[in-house]
Amino acid sequence: MPDTVKTWLGLIVLAYVYVVGELSHFLLGIVSRPMSQDLHYGDRACLPNPEAPQQSSACITATNATACAALEQQGNISSCTWDYSGLGLQYQVLAGPAFVAVFTTAGVIIGVIADKFNRKIVVTICCAVLTVATGLTGAAMSYWQLVILRMTMGAGESGFSPACSSMISDMFPEAKRALALGIFNWGIYFGYGLSYAVGNFITAADIAGMGWRWSYIVTGGMGIVATLCLIFVVKEPKRNSLFEAEYIANKQGNGDAESENEICSTEFSRKTDGSDCAVTSPTGSAGREGLVGGQTGLKEVLKSLARPAMMMLAFAACIRHTAGFSWAYNTQLYFITYYPDFNLGLWVTGASIIGGSLGVAVGGFVSDKLVKRIGLRARLYVLAGSQLLAMPFAAGVLYFPPPAAFFMLLGAYIFAEMWFGVLFAVLLELVPGAVQSTALAVFLFVMNNVGGNLPVVVDPLSDLLSYRAALYIMYPGGYLASAVFFCLTSFLI
């Protein structure tokens, strides 16, 4: 098999691994209501009676069990029932902090390990841990068992982004890197979108009377396939930082060039900030100071992350991640709260997969083209512009009833999801390659701690204002704020 085919096949496997990880991550938000009613956690509320001929939207007006019982009857069946809603602080903790606390902490540790050891083995072990935790969730019998398994899922998935992104950086040249990272990050949208199909349809099938539990069992089976593919298909790529050091040393020592000026005139050189030129390898990455080469160690990691541009980029990414998670954790619950008679079916699945995939592809393609003309700032312009364009569509999701809301959601995903692959391309071009996995893990630690935990404020904001108003602030409001700070970052590079 040609090396090019093997490289792209390896990328597809890594993307599939990410699909399984994100499916496991977001499945909770889809099955939270039947799960909470089975295991008895979270808030209680007046809900449409699933046994009633028609789902009533009046249930949301009742604030206690007595008022709920007094609502209209449909024949001999109550229109509403007082039961666990799947919302509340316990759900928000389960969705956010329980997962994110371990995900981010383990991510840093695994990032350090991935910089020193075989990344394929690291990712394979992480995938196996995720698979076991996901499958066992289908057998959970208490809320605290869910918390422990959710934390274990976080530990398993934590190695995917830093280690896989570092591998992809070494598998592809700079000209194709944003596109390759974009394809890898399709896993987010396929996994998230697939969670609605798996969570809704498999739960509704009620296989062997186990309802939501089979959703996790099926996802665990997909994890077994992902683990086997990692073992037998993916190869550990040679690290660019090591390869580039050898390449540049050879260029300088084998007589091909007698001076640095002569080396700088070769086809593998380009200018970088603060120097007239830098020798680069055939991957297109810099060998001096480097965008990819460089020293190792904690000092180098902190030095690369403490730059003003990186700090501003991290702040913008935290806001954007908060907006995304605020919506992702509440999508299903929002629609069944305000539109209980509307069958979500494949609407969210289609909107997230189609919109997210288009956004990632367009974002990577456009930023790769513009960066050749404008430089690295072009990627920041794409980040800022995409979030600004996504904001009115996100507001439309909350303003319009379905199905119009889902067409708004499609537009929001197309623009908003241009960001992730482009963000990683920026990081990989700013961070020395010798500490890429560690630096990415630290960056993700900060971004995911803020973005994954801050959505818990949706619950108190809902009490203060309303559920919809809270999402207006956190979802389209977050897109707008992140656009401003991505734009400001461009002035610091």
Side-chain angles (χ1 to χ4, degrees), residues 19-38:
V19 168
V20 175
E22 293 302 285
L23 171 57
S24 300
H25 182 184
F26 289 111
L27 191 57
L28 173 70
I30 317 307
V31 303
S32 179
R33 180 165 291 181
M35 180 188 283
S36 68
Q37 292 169 357
D38 189 5

Side-chain angles (χ1 to χ4, degrees), residues 36-267:
S36 68
Q37 292 169 357
D38 189 5
L39 302 182
H40 299 171
Y41 69 84
D43 290 351
R44 289 191 173 194
C46 190
L47 308 174
N49 188 345
E51 297 180 0
Q54 293 183 335
Q55 300 294 286
S56 174
S57 59
C59 301
I60 195 175
T61 61
T63 57
N64 55 62
T66 303
C68 185
L71 292 174
E72 73 270 13
Q73 300 273 323
Q74 296 183 35
N76 295 324
I77 301 176
S78 297
S79 297
C80 306
T81 182
W82 188 258
D83 205 344
Y84 291 93
S85 66
L87 286 168
L89 186 60
Q90 281 185 303
Y91 164 70
Q92 297 294 348
V93 168
L94 196 60
F99 181 92
V100 172
V102 177
F103 177 85
T104 53
T105 304
V108 175
I109 298 171
I110 292 172
V112 174
I113 293 172
D115 276 334
K116 298 181 181 298
F117 299 100
N118 187 294
R119 292 164 292 183
K120 171 192 167 178
I121 294 176
V122 170
V123 175
T124 303
I125 294 172
C126 287
C127 190
V129 170
L130 175 79
T131 296
V132 171
T134 301
L136 288 177
T137 300
M141 299 303 295
S142 71
Y143 176 77
W144 291 108
Q145 288 178 3
L146 287 179
V147 172
I148 293 170
L149 290 168
R150 184 79 172 159
M151 293 170 71
T152 308
M153 284 185 207
E157 193 182 351
S158 65
F160 291 177
S161 281
C164 290
S165 296
S166 178
M167 290 173 69
I168 292 168
S169 176
D170 291 342
M171 291 161 63
F172 292 89
E174 187 181 26
K176 295 180 180 178
R177 195 169 292 156
L179 177 60
L181 288 166
I183 292 172
F184 170 70
N185 285 301
W186 278 352
I188 297 175
Y189 314 109
F190 275 91
Y192 174 64
L194 195 59
S195 68
Y196 286 87
V198 172
N200 284 316
F201 292 117
I202 293 181
T203 300
D206 198 23
I207 302 170
M210 295 171 64
W212 62 270
R213 296 179 184 276
W214 269 101
S215 300
Y216 280 96
I217 294 171
V218 169
T219 305
M222 294 174 63
I224 293 174
V225 174
T227 305
L228 292 174
C229 287
L230 282 169
I231 293 171
F232 295 109
V233 177
V234 176
K235 304 297 182 184
E236 170 74 1
K238 189 169 185 178
R239 296 178 189 267
N240 279 343
S241 57
L242 299 178
F243 170 65
E244 286 157 1
E246 294 172 2
Y247 177 84
I248 295 165
N250 289 337
K251 288 290 290 182
Q252 291 176 326
N254 66 5
D256 290 344
E258 295 180 358
S259 66
E260 182 175 316
N261 290 333
E262 190 172 344
I263 294 174
C264 289
S265 68
T266 67
E267 61 178 317

Side-chain angles (χ1 to χ4, degrees), residues 472-485:
Y472 266 119
I473 294 171
M474 301 298 291
Y475 180 34
Y479 283 168
L480 178 60
S482 68
V484 171
F485 288 101

